[in-house]
Amino acid sequence: MSAATYPGPVLEVRGLTKSFGAVQALSGADLSCMRGQVTALVGDNGAGKSTLIRCLTGVQPFDDGDVHFNGQPMRLSSPTEARSRGIETVYQDLALVEDLTVWQNMFLNRELKRGLGPLRLLDRRRMIAQSQAHLERLLVNMPPVRSRVRRLSGGQRQSIAIGRAASWGSTLVIMDEPTAALGVRERDAVEQLIARLRADNIAQLIISHDLEQVMRVADTVWIMRRGRTVGHWRTADITRERIVAAITGANGSDPAARGDRL
Amino acid sequence: MASTALANRFGDRLRDPTFWGDNAALIGLVLIGAAFSLLSPYFLTWGNITALLVSASILIVLASAQQFTIVAAGIDLSIAANLPWSAVVFGLTYNAGWGTAAAIGAAIAAGAAVGVINGLIIARLKVNDFIATLGMLGVMSGVALIASNGQSFSVFSPFLQTLALGSLGPVRYFYLIALVVVLAAHIIFRYTAFGTHVLATGGNRDAARNMGIAVGAMRIAVYAINGALVGVAAVLLVARTGGADPAIATDELLSSIAAVVLGGSSLFGGRASMLGTVAGALVLTTLLNGFTLLQVSSFYQPIAVGIVVIAAAVLSRFQQ
């Protein structure tokens, strides 16, 4: 079955473990992401969210467990391999080059060329036009594609980084704290972008500390504590207080949370 | 109507401080040129301009070489030794009967080899650019002295004589070569994926690595290109002086860096402006030329050059 038509979860993780020496960073993490849905991953600092993401995107190898991507078992060895499979990650540093223009960043290391052999030059016009068309469709407050990223606001940069991740026919976009450093209005713009990618049927996995935001934008939420998944709910079925309780492990919620799981 | 709009737009650009920052070298060149042409009737003659361009050619090639490393957030201090080393290689191979083409090839290969060693030390052994090329500055000045036995020697080549003195119509071959180097560099930075990747490597190394660019290979490549261009400059130097001197032209190092910085490229990398770099090299050469015309003591020249470089750095604060 082709990747685009596979009906099950885009990403399915079961029992992932990872240790650094004596430290058990992941001790049985589960996760699944559906096409056209926003999945939130929450948990306290040190709960293992970042390690889980790094294992999923090939930055670090994991020790044990199963990862299925579009129904196929997957074990990545590099972020480049993840990208070629259609998994894009927007890290907090955004990986934008400030002195390059918006369109140069959009096409960084995927440049369009014209001409033959060693004389293949950049097809600047086509890259500018495609960046323009792609971003125009996604962004409300569209910065000029010819301006340097240095001139853009934090929210515009975040939008460009997400917009870049969502191009190239990606099926899963992972975002680490996409709005942590933004003001209210810019945060709203990024959340609109997330909603638009959701309508485009892209699977999105968002790490966020902002539980209000999780309730606003996410369809499902996975909660991690001490390296394992302790809860999984539809956001429609849960309150913010219950999530907080599960994150902190208050009122003995570990077994209770398990009972509630989907 | 249209001309008013145009004038307004031009006026807006002039009021925008970033315009002055981005074009500091070009503006400086125009101002200095205007000043000298008022002070000396001889300055704006074709004869003097030709002489100026010819004497700027070697610096322009060296500044282009320096531009490649600076764009990648590096710097090449070993230029001051690589230049005489490549010149000595040219002289030795040519005098050994290799023929002009082979000797030119040897000089460029010798320069490129030094560049590759610089790049390997920096990218593979993870030595800071400044330290690595400072070390190679010492190593290569010694190697050049050993290879030439410490003696400068003449190189009689009719081809190089034509190169130094001949012209294509009114255009002297000498600065035509510099022009070709500059155009090639401009095309690389603006119209090739390689150039974009070099800019990205210099602008934000982590981001470039994150996007799958082989940043180590990029850094080795820029030092290799830098070295090869120093080899080209060495051939021009031998053509101009008619000999190879293992201890020549140490002031070209500072001038090459100054030209690039004058031209608006950040020493932190990520920005390339070949037009700016050429203008920067011309500013430095024009200062020397004008002072010579006005018979100002050469002791004042480094003072003027230093002030111009600092003024350009102040202007570049307005860049965006």
Side-chain angles (χ1 to χ4, degrees), chain A residues 162-177:
Chain A
I162 297 173
R164 174 171 68 181
S167 39
W168 317 110
S170 33
T171 46
L172 174 63
V173 174
I174 301 172
M175 299 175 217
D176 191 0
E177 296 283 356

Side-chain angles (χ1 to χ4, degrees), chain A residues 159-213:
Chain A
S159 300
I160 299 295
I162 297 173
R164 174 171 68 181
S167 39
W168 317 110
S170 33
T171 46
L172 174 63
V173 174
I174 301 172
M175 299 175 217
D176 191 0
E177 296 283 356
T179 59
L182 303 182
V184 177
R185 187 180 300 183
E186 298 198 304
R187 190 197 62 201
D188 289 348
V190 170
E191 287 180 6
Q192 278 179 40
L193 173 54
I194 290 169
R196 206 156 303 195
L197 298 183
R198 187 169 175 271
D200 281 354
N201 215 23
I202 290 175
Q204 295 175 84
L205 175 62
I206 296 177
I207 297 181
S208 181
H209 276 112
D210 180 353
L211 294 183
E212 304 289 347
Q213 177 176 57

Side-chain angles (χ1 to χ4, degrees), chain A:
Chain A
M1 192 172 300
S2 91
T5 55
Y6 177 72
V10 168
L11 182 74
E12 181 131 52
V13 180
R14 268 191 236 109
L16 211 67
T17 64
K18 168 78 185 173
S19 58
F20 300 97
V23 182
Q24 189 80 17
L26 294 177
S27 51
D30 304 337
L31 185 67
S32 73
C33 298
M34 301 294 289
R35 207 174 288 282
Q37 288 199 359
V38 178
T39 307
L41 182 61
V42 301
D44 235 338
N45 293 332
K49 305 179 304 264
S50 299
T51 308
L52 176 58
I53 298 304
R54 283 201 293 273
C55 287
L56 293 179
T57 53
V59 177
Q60 280 168 354
F62 51 85
D63 298 337
D64 208 1
D66 287 319
V67 178
H68 282 76
F69 186 64
N70 284 319
Q72 305 284 325
M74 174 181 78
R75 202 175 181 111
L76 299 172
S77 56
S78 76
T80 313
E81 199 184 337
R83 202 168 293 137
S84 71
R85 300 269 196 118
I87 303 173
E88 292 276 346
T89 312
V90 182
Y91 291 102
Q92 285 189 51
D93 66 10
L94 302 183
L96 295 172
V97 182
E98 292 193 336
D99 282 317
L100 294 182
T101 61
V102 170
W103 67 266
Q104 282 174 315
N105 272 287
M106 288 290 291
F107 281 89
L108 192 56
N109 208 18
R110 283 164 164 156
E111 289 85 359
L112 303 178
K113 296 169 198 163
R114 61 196 163 83
L116 285 173
L119 294 175
R120 281 162 65 80
L121 297 179
L122 295 179
D123 194 341
R124 294 167 64 94
R125 197 179 301 173
R126 204 148 56 92
M127 287 192 279
I128 290 169
Q130 285 189 16
S131 305
Q132 177 80 31
H134 178 72
L135 292 175
E136 218 163 48
R137 208 179 63 76
L138 288 178
L139 306 185
V140 187
N141 182 11
M142 166 85 186
V145 291
R146 289 163 192 267
S147 69
R148 290 180 200 274
V149 168
R150 188 178 291 286
R151 294 192 169 207
L152 306 188
S153 70
Q156 285 175 319
R157 291 177 195 208
Q158 186 76 48
S159 300
I160 299 295
I162 297 173
R164 174 171 68 181
S167 39
W168 317 110
S170 33
T171 46
L172 174 63
V173 174
I174 301 172
M175 299 175 217
D176 191 0
E177 296 283 356
T179 59
L182 303 182
V184 177
R185 187 180 300 183
E186 298 198 304
R187 190 197 62 201
D188 289 348
V190 170
E191 287 180 6
Q192 278 179 40
L193 173 54
I194 290 169
R196 206 156 303 195
L197 298 183
R198 187 169 175 271
D200 281 354
N201 215 23
I202 290 175
Q204 295 175 84
L205 175 62
I206 296 177
I207 297 181
S208 181
H209 276 112
D210 180 353
L211 294 183
E212 304 289 347
Q213 177 176 57
V214 167
M215 300 304 282
R216 267 196 311 274
V217 305
D219 297 287
T220 63
V221 54
W222 292 80
I223 295 149
M224 288 190 73
R225 202 161 78 81
R226 294 187 187 158
R228 68 173 67 235
T229 310
V230 297
H232 174 211
W233 289 284
R234 264 193 278 279
T235 46
D237 300 341
I238 181 110
T239 61
R240 191 174 162 276
E241 288 68 31
R242 290 287 303 280
I243 298 179
V244 173
I247 290 174
T248 55
N251 61 37
S253 71
D254 277 26
R258 286 196 170 274
D260 278 4
R261 288 173 64 184
L262 286 177

